[in-house]
Amino acid sequence: MSDTKSGDDNTLSVTPKKTLTLKRPGSEQGTVRQNFSHGRTKQVVVETKKRKFSMPGDKHEPTPTAATVFAPKPQPAAAPAPVAAPVAPVAAAPVVSTPVAAAPAPRPTPAPAPAPAPVAKEASRPAPRQPERSGMVLNSLSRSEMDARRRALEGSVVREQEDRARAAEDARRRAEEDERRRKEREDSARRQAEEEARLKTEAESRRRAEDEARRRAPAAALEANVPDEVEAKPKGRVGPGSAAASPIRRIATPEVARPAKTKTEEDRRRGKLTLNTALTSGDGDARSRSLSAMRRRQEKFKRAMHNEPREKIVREVILPETITIQELAQRMSERAVDVVKFFMKQGQMLKPGDVIDADTAELIASEFGHTVRRVAESDIEEGLFDIADHSETLVTRPPVVTIMGHVDHGKTSLLDAIRQANVVSGEAGGITQHIGAYQVEKNGQKITFIDTPGHAAFTAMRARGAQATDIAILVVAADDSVMPQTIESISHAKAAGVPIIVAINKIDKPSADAQKVRTELLRHEVFVESMGGEVLDVEVSAKNGTNLDKLLEAILLQAEVLDLKANPDRTAEGVVIEAKLDKGRGPVATVLVQTGTLLPGDILVAGDQWGRVRALVDDRGNRLEEAPPAMPVEILGLQGTPQAGDRFAVVNNEARAREITEYRQRLARDKAVAKHATQRGSLEQMMSQLQSSGLKEFPLIIKGDVQGSVEAIIAALDKLGTDEVRARIVHSGAGAITESDVTLAETSGAAIIGFNVRANAQARHAAEQQGIEIRYYNIIYNLVDDVKDAMSGLLSPERRETFIGNAEILEVFNITKTGKVAGCRVTEGKVERGAGVRLIRDNVVIHEGTLKTLKRFKDEVSEVPVGQECGMAFQNYEDMRAGDVIECFRVEMVTRRL
């Protein structure tokens, strides 16, 4: 459509334009004229749609009828609307096709079921053309549909009533809240007005007092100049009538009335009274000084007049090994700027955050007049161990006995017979893999036994066992006599300074010779009683239980001589015998309490780990309430796994325990970094070292069930290393093989070894995917042998040279297309084609290479025996002379082993 406007009469003529539309079946179209401002109108096309009415509960959509076509569409009952009088059903709403802004349309008022008359009236209107459908007949609404509509309308009315009630309740609550807030505002305004009035009153009173003080100041000054005899008379304000009463005429100072300050327009506009204005003086231009400020100002003026220096406070400055300048200044109660100035005078430009050493800090503190006390970082461990006990607090304690000796001499079997328990059957291969600690009782007296492995790999574990013991039992087999590890055990016992009791085991065997054992012990300075010495010896049989009572009696006798005592009424100290990571219980440490009593709940520090004791378990698995001196127990509750042989002590609180462990962990890290840097050096040094030495490494990741076994394996593998190949332990620890171990093995190209542990499901799956080999062992012999074979494979094969024969050059011929050929006679052995040859002139090797040709007359031959002549030519070499000797040899590469 188009709009035209004339210029004279401002009339608007509308020319309808045919609109291109697509008519929908079941809809009507028409035009509606819209009015705009300034008298403009516009004709638009509207479309009338038919709507179907269906209830949510109907199973099928009803057939459209005249009533359903022109019935109003039901609206959702969520939004409340006022109920009006029932009206007749509204016809289909016109839908304007022009785009307009969306606005919420008024909701049609629900009406009761329509009467027949309106339905007939609506049906009489010309309906839009409907598509022909077979079987579709316009008829009246069925009874069920009418009931459904009625129920829906009744429900809508009920919901609207509930919504109105809810809206009224909300309005009432909002009104109450507004009233409460209004009262609060009024109370706040009243309190603020009262506070302002009070502050104003105080300011006025302060101002009047200051004015009075100013007025009295001149009179006081004049009275100060009056002579003594005049001062004896009553003082007062001097007036005109009092001049004759005084022998000396006093000058009267007229009291000048201070003009009242008028409040200007600026003061009136200044606003309400604030805290700053209330604290200002009467003039209103400056804040009055406090009494303390005036006193400080007077003292400063006095010091300036007399040049009195401030009194120096000498402090004791505690200096650690390193300290920052800021921290040093704080400890000296000096300004950091002054310390920096001191450095600038010395020619050093430093900042307050720079770190200086203890010597420099001591020099600065001395220059500033302070005393210094140097402390080391290790001082945090002071008072942790070796606390002195009074003699009256000591009581007798059980002896700690260590069983030592050569492998398979019957140490564990002997202890098994003493404990009357089967321990050997639990060890793989009948060999003790761990340190075990047990306690037995004999004649009402307890004896603590520590069983150490006898294999050579466990030397370090045996050494720790000897250090934690009071008596060492040296088990020697009567049929095997003294062996290398027996000698090692004697050395450890002597180094620890503990007495030795010799137990000559296996006397039940026919080949047993106890006297031979005693004789061989003499060579190692072990003198038994039967040979005139002081060392007790007992012939026992662990298998038959022979003389076990005599052995226990010898132990108690030796303990009585030693007079072992400890103080049970103090904090516990001791040594870690063994530590492991248990899957269900976490870190578990087997400890031996040496002094004091260990209780559940104690906070202890063991090596670089700490924890609170959650439980104490003895060797039979029983829970204990306390662990007295010389008692071996398992403790639960540590934060990590300590090292076997670490000392432990109980501390007062967690803060001290955490401080000590952090210090020890930092020391261990620094030591590891220093060792790593020393071993590696720079990249150039490492590469040159590898090129010069040809050292090859065999990377390994070792996981064991306990820490002591892992240490023993590492010590055994270190002994396998040579100048050409060695084992590099990438990671080691106690516990099961985890997925992180597999990831580390993949990164470093290492093999994983598990000793009495297994890999979990995730680790096995990751190892299969990455192709990482995991080897499991439970006997240390097999582990060391397999690693030894694998490391032997890294060795370069040995070049072995075998002499074959010599030939002497008789004449040298120059042949066309062939070059120089030496005519030779074989003087020793034989000469083979393909073997290595050397050209020797005057007993000096001139050339080493291979033969290009070997001929006998004109035929190529494979070898020439001694005494025959032949022709030989070297590969890429022709400097041959008559009289030279050609040596023929064969090179073989032989596989080497460690």
Side-chain angles (χ1 to χ4, degrees):
M1 69 186 67
S2 63
D3 298 342
T4 60
K5 183 188 290 186
S6 62
D8 297 333
D9 52 358
N10 294 330
T11 59
L12 178 66
S13 63
V14 178
T15 304
K17 201 171 188 178
K18 189 173 182 180
T19 306
L20 180 62
T21 59
L22 178 62
K23 290 186 177 182
R24 300 181 183 176
S27 63
E28 293 181 350
Q29 290 185 349
T31 58
V32 174
R33 182 177 298 276
Q34 289 183 334
N35 297 322
F36 300 95
S37 60
H38 304 291
R40 296 185 58 184
T41 61
K42 189 175 182 180
Q43 193 169 2
V44 296
V45 180
V46 298
E47 184 182 72
T48 303
K49 291 185 179 180
K50 294 177 298 179
R51 300 184 181 178
K52 299 179 183 181
F53 184 85
S54 60
M55 293 302 296
D58 294 344
K59 296 183 179 179
H60 62 278
E61 195 172 312
T63 305
T65 61
T68 58
V69 168
F70 299 103
K73 185 175 180 180
Q75 297 293 332
V83 179
V87 295
V90 185
V95 180
V96 182
S97 61
T98 58
V100 294
R107 178 180 172 186
T109 304
V119 174
K121 183 179 178 181
E122 294 294 337
S124 63
R125 292 181 57 182
R129 185 178 178 182
Q130 297 288 342
E132 296 181 0
R133 299 181 184 177
S134 60
M136 180 179 293
V137 181
L138 295 176
N139 53 6
S140 302
L141 288 173
S142 63
R143 185 176 299 278
S144 60
E145 294 170 347
M146 295 293 290
D147 294 340
R149 287 192 60 190
R150 188 179 301 108
R151 286 195 301 273
L153 293 176
E154 291 174 355
S156 175
V157 172
V158 172
R159 284 191 296 273
E160 288 178 356
Q161 292 176 354
E162 294 176 352
D163 294 340
R164 284 198 302 274
R166 192 179 300 110
E169 180 66 21
D170 293 342
R172 183 183 61 79
R173 280 199 299 268
R174 283 194 297 271
E176 293 177 354
E177 183 69 19
D178 294 341
E179 181 67 18
R180 183 181 61 80
R181 292 177 180 173
R182 186 183 62 79
K183 290 181 179 179
E184 291 179 354
R185 286 195 298 270
E186 291 177 356
D187 294 343
S188 177
R190 187 178 65 256
R191 286 194 298 269
Q192 186 174 2
E194 293 175 355
E195 183 68 18
E196 290 176 357
R198 185 181 63 80
L199 293 176
K200 187 174 182 180
T201 304
E202 292 178 356
E204 290 292 336
S205 61
R206 189 182 301 108
R207 188 162 49 250
R208 284 196 298 271
E210 291 175 354
D211 292 344
E212 185 70 19
R214 290 193 189 94
R215 283 194 297 271
R216 290 179 180 178
L222 288 176
E223 290 175 1
N225 297 325
V226 176
D228 295 339
E229 60 273 9
V230 180
E231 289 295 328
K233 295 184 178 295
K235 294 182 182 179
R237 183 176 289 109
V238 180
S242 60
S246 176
I248 300 178
R249 186 168 177 264
R250 302 180 63 178
I251 300 174
T253 58
E255 183 176 348
V256 181
R258 185 182 181 89
K261 185 177 180 181
T262 59
K263 197 169 185 180
T264 62
E265 183 66 22
E266 182 182 357
D267 295 334
R268 282 194 292 270
R269 291 179 177 274
R270 189 168 294 171
K272 60 184 180 180
L273 186 67
T274 62
L275 187 61
N276 288 336
T277 57
L279 296 178
T280 54
S281 62
D283 296 337
D285 53 355
R287 181 182 297 182
S288 61
R289 286 181 173 273
S290 66
L291 189 61
S292 299
M294 295 294 293
R295 187 180 296 114
R296 287 194 299 268
R297 186 176 181 182
Q298 291 175 1
E299 290 178 357
K300 184 177 180 181
F301 180 74
K302 288 179 181 178
R303 286 196 303 267
M305 292 295 293
H306 298 86
N307 293 324
E308 294 180 358
R310 180 178 295 181
E311 183 181 358
K312 184 72 174 181
I313 300 176
V314 178
R315 300 181 181 273
E316 184 184 23
V317 182
I318 300 175
L319 295 180
E321 296 175 357
T322 57
I323 190 173
T324 62
I325 295 178
Q326 182 73 36
E327 179 69 19
L328 176 63
Q330 291 177 358
R331 296 188 182 189
M332 295 189 302
S333 297
E334 304 284 350
R335 296 190 307 167
V337 178
D338 296 337
V339 182
V340 172
K341 286 180 180 178
F342 177 81
F343 276 107
M344 293 175 65
K345 292 178 182 177
Q346 304 299 324
Q348 296 181 1
M349 299 298 294
L350 296 177
K351 301 185 297 296
D354 291 340
V355 179
I356 57 178
D357 58 358
D359 296 334
T360 307
E362 183 177 2
L363 177 63
I364 294 171
S366 301
E367 289 291 333
F368 277 84
H370 300 286
T371 59
V372 174
R373 182 163 65 91
R374 297 278 291 268
V375 295
E377 200 173 8
S378 59
D379 291 344
I380 61 174
E381 295 186 352
E382 286 185 359
L384 190 63
F385 298 109
D386 302 328
I387 301 175
D389 295 318
H390 297 290
S391 58
E392 59 270 12
T393 60
L394 301 178
V395 296
T396 304
R397 65 169 177 85
V400 180
V401 180
T402 300
I403 299 181
M404 310 173 75
H406 191 71
V407 63
D408 201 25
H409 273 201
K411 300 181 300 299
T412 308
S413 300
L414 182 62
L415 184 59
D416 187 14
I418 296 173
R419 293 183 63 232
Q420 297 178 356
N422 191 3
V423 179
V424 176
S425 59
E427 301 285 355
I431 303 167
T432 305
Q433 309 286 337
H434 315 119
I435 288 182
Y438 317 98
Q439 197 168 47
V440 300
E441 190 170 344
K442 171 68 175 176
N443 298 331
Q445 294 178 299
K446 293 183 178 180
I447 303 173
T448 301
F449 285 93
I450 299 178
D451 181 25
T452 57
H455 189 265
F458 294 89
T459 302
M461 295 173 67
R462 277 206 312 277
R464 284 198 297 267
Q467 291 169 1
T469 190
D470 301 318
I471 302 171
I473 295 182
L474 183 64
V475 179
V476 185
D479 61 338
D480 207 5
S481 192
V482 178
M483 300 299 289
Q485 289 165 23
T486 308
I487 302 171
E488 288 182 10
S489 301
I490 295 172
S491 302
H492 290 316
K494 288 185 177 181
V498 296
I500 299 175
I501 297 177
V502 179
I504 303 175
N505 195 17
K506 301 183 182 180
I507 61 171
D508 57 315
K509 287 193 173 184
S511 57
D513 188 356
Q515 193 62 30
K516 179 183 177 183
V517 173
R518 295 187 180 97
T519 305
E520 291 190 0
L521 287 175
L522 292 175
R523 293 188 296 174
H524 304 288
E525 299 181 357
V526 178
F527 306 105
V528 297
E529 283 186 337
S530 58
M531 305 291 288
E534 296 181 354
V535 178
L536 299 176
D537 65 308
V538 182
E539 298 181 5
V540 297
S541 173
K543 182 178 180 181
N544 299 332
T546 307
N547 294 335
L548 296 182
D549 293 341
K550 291 183 179 180
L551 179 62
L552 296 178
E553 289 174 359
I555 294 172
L556 294 176
L557 178 61
Q558 187 69 51
E560 188 176 352
V561 172
L562 295 175
D563 191 20
L564 304 172
K565 291 185 178 182
N567 180 13
D569 302 325
R570 50 158 289 184
T571 56
E573 291 182 20
V575 64
V576 178
I577 301 296
E578 190 51 83
K580 62 182 178 180
L581 186 63
D582 192 276
K583 184 177 181 181
R585 301 185 295 172
V588 179
T590 303
V591 301
L592 176 67
V593 181
Q594 294 176 318
T595 183
T597 302
L598 186 62
L599 302 172
D602 285 347
I603 301 172
L604 60 84
V605 175
D608 58 355
Q609 301 294 335
W610 72 277
R612 186 183 294 272
V613 179
R614 289 193 288 110
L616 299 174
V617 184
D618 64 1
D619 59 304
R620 300 182 184 271
N622 302 321
R623 290 288 184 101
L624 301 177
E625 295 298 329
E626 61 179 15
M631 179 77 177
V633 290
E634 282 186 343
I635 59 173
L636 310 179
L638 291 176
Q639 301 289 332
T641 306
Q643 301 291 325
D646 288 340
R647 296 183 66 186
F648 78 87
V650 175
V651 295
N652 297 329
N653 49 41
E654 292 185 6
R656 178 164 166 77
R658 194 176 293 108
E659 186 180 11
I660 293 173
T661 53
E662 287 177 355
Y663 164 69
R664 292 180 175 177
Q665 289 172 1
R666 187 165 59 252
L667 281 186
R669 282 196 301 267
D670 295 344
K671 189 180 297 183
V673 169
K675 181 179 178 182
H676 189 62
T678 305
Q679 289 178 350
R680 291 192 61 182
S682 64
L683 183 62
E684 293 80 4
Q685 293 175 353
M686 186 175 64
M687 296 302 295
S688 62
Q689 181 182 3
L690 287 176
Q691 290 176 0
S692 60
S693 63
L695 180 64
K696 297 180 181 179
E697 293 183 338
F698 187 64
L700 288 172
I701 294 177
I702 299 175
K703 297 299 287 290
D705 54 346
V706 294
Q707 192 69 35
S709 300
V710 175
E711 290 182 5
I713 293 169
I714 294 174
L717 296 181
D718 285 341
K719 293 181 181 179
L720 296 178
T722 62
D723 295 337
E724 298 181 41
V725 63
R726 67 181 181 90
R728 180 168 65 91
I729 309 302
V730 178
H731 174 65
S732 64
I737 299 172
T738 61
E739 193 173 359
S740 60
D741 296 329
V742 178
T743 306
L744 181 60
E746 179 191 2
T747 305
S748 59
I752 302 176
I753 292 179
F755 186 76
N756 283 334
V757 294
R758 291 293 181 270
N760 55 31
Q762 295 85 354
R764 287 197 302 270
H765 183 65
E768 290 174 0
Q769 285 185 338
Q770 305 298 334
I772 305 297
E773 183 182 11
I774 301 178
R775 292 284 190 93
Y776 301 110
Y777 297 93
N778 56 1
I779 297 178
I780 196 169
Y781 297 111
N782 301 338
L783 187 152
V784 175
D785 291 343
D786 286 357
V787 174
K788 185 176 181 180
D789 294 340
M791 292 173 61
S792 299
L794 296 178
L795 292 173
S796 56
E798 183 181 0
R799 185 175 183 271
R800 186 172 298 174
E801 185 177 298
T802 305
F803 173 77
I804 300 177
N806 282 340
E808 183 182 357
I809 299 178
L810 303 177
E811 191 70 35
V812 179
F813 305 97
N814 197 350
I815 301 176
T816 308
K817 297 183 181 180
T818 304
K820 291 185 177 181
V821 177
C824 308
R825 178 187 295 116
V826 180
T827 58
E828 184 180 356
K830 61 181 179 179
V831 177
E832 293 181 354
R833 186 177 60 184
V837 290
R838 294 189 183 95
L839 182 64
I840 300 174
R841 182 179 301 159
D842 297 331
N843 294 325
V844 177
V845 178
I846 302 301
H847 173 70
E848 182 174 341
T850 57
L851 290 177
K852 181 170 66 173
T853 179
L854 177 62
K855 290 189 176 183
R856 172 89 174 136
F857 299 106
K858 293 185 178 182
D859 301 328
E860 283 282 347
V861 293
S862 59
E863 64 178 34
V864 178
V866 64
Q868 294 186 359
E869 295 182 353
C870 61
M872 289 187 287
F874 285 91
Q875 188 81 27
N876 300 327
Y877 190 78
E878 294 184 349
D879 185 15
M880 296 175 291
R881 302 177 186 175
D884 292 347
V885 177
I886 297 176
E887 182 185 49
C888 185
F889 60 92
R890 185 185 300 113
V891 177
E892 297 176 355
M893 305 303 290
V894 181
T895 304
R896 299 165 57 203
R897 290 186 57 82
L898 287 175

